[in-house]
Amino acid sequence: MLFISHNVSIPDDEIDISYIRAQGAGGQNVNKVSSAVHLRFDVQASSLPEFYKERLLALKDSRLTKDGVIVIKAQQFRTQEKNREDALQRLQELIKSVAIVQKARRATKPTKSSQRKRVDSKTQRGKTKSLRGKVQF
């Protein structure tokens, strides 16, 4: 059971985990041990609430296929268990990130006082710089 929040959790049977051989450099064991993890999670067939499903399917993420399946590959660690935990944690973070609602931005105007201060400081700076020129007789 993967817990997302107090009310939302994903049963283990909805998450498909397969073990594959990790890529990259290794030692004598690298071609014999399948320590990397491929995690597949079908968003549309899951028991997540509709709110989560809609948000997940609307993501512009390379881990999401056209069929609505999230694919996470974890091969950072040398053991299957650590890679499995890493993949599950990354899935959990992805789903949690979708639940956060962005605060609406409201445009604001600078106050009259701040506008006046800005212009005054610019004119003062201009006067200071004009004193740096050649002395005129």
Side-chain angles (χ1 to χ4, degrees), residues 10-108:
I10 301 171
D12 290 334
D13 59 327
E14 291 182 6
I15 301 170
D16 181 36
I17 294 178
S18 57
Y19 299 99
I20 57 171
R21 279 187 244 143
Q23 295 175 331
Q28 296 171 339
N29 233 12
V30 74
N31 294 325
K32 295 188 285 184
V33 180
S34 298
S35 59
V37 172
H38 250 190
L39 182 143
R40 294 175 150 287
F41 177 67
D42 191 357
V43 176
Q44 292 168 332
S46 69
S47 62
L48 285 174
E50 286 301 316
F51 168 77
Y52 284 93
K53 287 183 186 180
E54 290 171 10
R55 290 261 180 123
L56 281 170
L57 293 172
L59 275 179
K60 300 278 187 247
D61 198 319
S62 61
R63 297 173 286 186
L64 185 69
T65 64
K66 292 177 184 174
D67 303 328
V69 178
I70 296 173
V71 179
I72 296 175
K73 185 176 182 180
Q75 60 180 10
Q76 184 178 357
F77 302 101
R78 291 181 62 161
T79 62
Q80 273 186 359
E81 277 306 307
K82 283 189 177 181
N83 282 328
R84 183 178 178 279
E85 289 171 16
D86 182 41
L88 288 170
Q89 184 178 2
R90 282 162 46 192
L91 176 66
Q92 185 181 31
E93 287 171 5
L94 180 68
I95 296 171
K96 279 184 180 180
S97 71
V98 167
I100 299 169
V101 178
Q102 286 288 332
K103 191 176 175 181
R105 185 190 177 282
R106 268 191 237 124
T108 58

